[in-house]
Amino acid sequence: MSGPIQAPADEAELAHVVAEAFAARTPLDIRGGGSKRDVGRPVHGAAVGTGGLSGITLYEPAELVIGARAGTPLAELTAALDANGQMLPFEPADWRGLLGSGEARPTVGGTVAANLSGPRRLMAGACRDALIGVRFVNGRGETIRNGGRVMKNVTGYDLVKLMAGSWGTLGIVTEAIFKLLPRPETSASLVWSGLTDEDAVALMSAAAGSPYEISAAAHWPAGDGMPARTVLRLENFAPSVAYRAERLARELKRHGAPDRLDEAASSALWRDIRDAAPLRDAAGAVWRVSVAPSRAPAVALALRQAGGAARLFDWGGGLVWAAAPETAEAAAAIRRAAAAQGGHATLVRGSEALRLAVPPFTPPAGPLAALTARIRAAFDPAGILNPGKMGE
Amino acid sequence: MPDGQTHSTTGIPMPAPDPGILARRQRIVDGLSALLPGEQVIASEDERRAYETDAFTAYRQLPLAVVLPQTTEEVAAVLKFLNAERVPVIPRGAGTSLSGGALPQADAVVVGLAKMNRVLALDFKDRTARVQAGITNLGISGAVAHEGFFYAPDPSSQLACTIAGNIAMNSGGAHCLKYGVTTNNILGVRLVTLEGDILDIGGDALDAPGLDLLGIVIGSEGQFGIVTEAVVRILRAAEGARPMLVGFAAPEDAGRCVAEIIGSGIIPVAIEYMDHLAIEITEGFAHAGYPLDAAAMLIIEVEGSEEEIDRLLERISAIARQCGARTLKVSTSEAESAAIWKGRKSAFGATGRIADYICMDGTIPTGKLPMVLTRMGEIVRGYGLRVANVFHAGDGNLHPLVLYNVNDAGEREKAEACGFDILRLCVEAGGCLTGEHGVGIEKRDLMREQFDETELAQQIRLKLAFDPHWLLNPAKVFPLDLRPAGDLPAAA
């Protein structure tokens, strides 16, 4: 449905808009910055934007905590953190290149709604792990606070985690509070070339299971005339990075001698991995398959048999980015390949026709589907918040 | 007292037991015995006695019966039966809850997980362990230590407490500053619902499909179902770890030191704070070499290679000196490190030797520490009591121990009232009622201090999505007057 976008100026106004929509049973199409708008099923409803809810509401560097309203551009948050030598631990990805939404601005609310995490997720956790407090408007137009600004809080149920990755279907996040980490003094990467998928995953598992605290591990399979590359990242004080790099190279020498990238080269490489750059120019649909890392090579093999291709392994193999034809058959084959290895697949980029033909998010089955529906109803009884976005 | 409630001997209001259930007791026990082998159903008064309380010993009540299932299928059969009979269910791990999370009711059946304590699978390549939920926290680390791995969240009760209870309470511990709490270290659970459905939520991958149900099951205090298995993240231990002690003449100096350390880019694996009384009590018991002349002390532990540890402790020492540290003592041996931690970990026990106490568990923004410590001192003095403070300084999780004399009936009441005032202060300072012990029965009636009615109603609607008849651990977490009358659909 097209039409004017309602842009409430503050949380109270937003709550009022939702309360009216609840009374009238009007579906709402929730708009953040628009950078991930084409993920999930298209939503038909009256457009409501969070752009009016902007600004950092709390920043205490000594307490490692920052809070911001939902419509705050992520760039504003990261600029404030940069100025104090701090960072969001989960290294949020930027999918604008991948999704062709370059004119849009990723926001705090969208990052939470998508539980958007990057390479450091392997060691430092996902967006949901750093999220310690939220305010949101539920489907009745009520404003709810949960969590807060402290790292340990077990007072009542942890609705904070539930909001992360719910794509606006349980409530409209109006403010989010994150715990932070100091930005490491320096970083470096070790790069091995020409490894098979199996050897790469073995190397990454050995590194992640070592005491040397890698902060990311990714594998770029061979393709486009480039040999395969397997990359480990170290972040810490400079002497620690040097020490750990030397130890890791020695411990993993059966895989060959690695090249070492300094901070600038390392940062550029990891930005590409974070943003799934190898998939940008891929034809067809783009999928993310989440599995236990040791099963990533089997997933990659099954993807090839299904007519797709694994283009990038992140999270030590726990996240496989794949390109595949835009057909329902290929989608079903990818879902089967993931499920056979105990994982699941999410369609991140696909045509509207494909996103209507197959559920972009793996649907829950059996009693889990019924429970999911009851939970939705507990937050949004009239089903007006981004209805159908996640497929159910 | 409102209708439908009874007071326990200690004045904690509890829902009046359902006379219909009490009258059907034999039929319920017979029904359970038909589902489980005889020795797994505990019906005699003598044997039930062991389950009448947990570590919140102020309250005691014999449950209707106790069952000790050995498999997920047995748990499912028991829950399905009790749901059909509309009998309340009290899930229980090891019974170490300090907030009364596992306290029974006269008309409820305790489902204990003590017999489900096996490791089911270890995967060092994927860094996961699949365990039954009745295994102890330390049992998991023990099972993976031979490969140099450990399970990170480390509540003080880790020797005894189960992962089931850790999941119910989203437990923390001293090392959570770096490694996070339970919810950051669990990848999946097998959850049995009241209907007897067995749900696998999450698994061995980092992400699970759909809504983050794992995130709400963890910390739900046994009110959404019974977790029988868990997939936990295991981590490779650092090459080494070493603590140091820093003593200060003023609590404010210690607080500033914590902020300066973090501001310098160092995240120690633990920063523990003890005040003068806690130092004195603990040193008298553990002889750990704590500075008796200090008004406040920090235990700061860092990890890495020997060289890295040396470098970090030097940097921290320099910061501490700038913040006015009087005593600086870096551990030089395994034995000294063990003694330093023995002191900290025995602080509660040592306090119990000199006085009775109630241990509070509020959390505050660390920047508010000086204000909170000052106000707390005033509150405690106002009641004519003493307080010893031990807490996780990196994350602001306070554990004030309010001392009193159990033989003085008035003092117990004063101590409880004082503890509640301290928790109100935590909320007022921007913190919360509980950082790691859970709400349980202890802080149930304080929930309105932190949440308004709309927020509580939203949480209750979520509970009803799992538990429409309000049977799972029903007298916990929410003020009793918020219990819905009759069955409510989640969307009501």
Side-chain angles (χ1 to χ4, degrees), chain A residues 64 181-183 236-237, chain B residues 177 258-269 271 300-303 311-317 319:
Chain A
L64 297 172
L181 282 179
R183 180 172 286 285
N236 210 314
F237 297 107
Chain B
L177 179 59
V258 173
E260 296 278 329
I261 291 168
I262 287 169
S264 78
I266 300 172
I267 297 287
V269 70
I271 310 181
I300 305 165
E301 180 160 278
V302 297
E303 289 185 337
R311 199 178 309 120
L312 285 174
L313 291 181
E314 267 168 38
R315 290 172 88 137
I316 291 171
S317 298
I319 292 168

Side-chain angles (χ1 to χ4, degrees), chain A residues 122 200-201 204-205 208 216-219 293-294 296 313-319, chain B residues 126-127:
Chain A
L122 174 67
V201 168
M204 293 190 288
S205 289
H219 173 63
S294 62
F313 296 12
D314 198 355
W315 303 353
L319 173 63
Chain B
D126 288 333
R127 302 172 301 286

Side-chain angles (χ1 to χ4, degrees), chain B residues 18-40:
Chain B
D18 180 335
I21 294 174
L22 298 180
R24 282 185 284 132
R25 177 164 189 271
Q26 194 54 51
R27 193 179 104 185
I28 292 161
V29 169
D30 290 347
L32 293 168
S33 300
L35 299 172
L36 300 181
E39 73 281 3
Q40 289 173 227

Side-chain angles (χ1 to χ4, degrees), chain A residues 109-197:
Chain A
T111 302
V112 170
N115 187 30
L116 196 61
S117 314
R120 206 178 292 103
R121 196 248 179 282
L122 174 67
M123 298 313 256
C127 173
R128 56 90 83 177
D129 292 290
L131 190 65
I132 56 174
V134 289
R135 295 177 66 95
F136 64 94
V137 174
N138 69 12
R140 297 161 181 266
E142 296 166 340
T143 303
I144 310 286
R145 293 166 307 154
N146 198 261
R149 58 181 286 192
V150 293
M151 288 176 199
K152 275 156 107 182
N153 179 354
V154 292
T155 320
Y157 303 143
D158 193 352
L159 306 186
V160 177
K161 302 285 179 292
L162 191 59
M163 295 308 293
S166 61
W167 293 89
T169 63
L170 299 176
I172 305 176
V173 171
T174 56
E175 187 177 338
I177 303 178
F178 302 98
K179 64 178 178 181
L180 305 170
L181 282 179
R183 180 172 286 285
E185 184 178 283
T186 189
S187 67
S189 289
L190 298 177
V191 187
W192 284 262
S193 294
L195 300 187
T196 63
D197 294 349

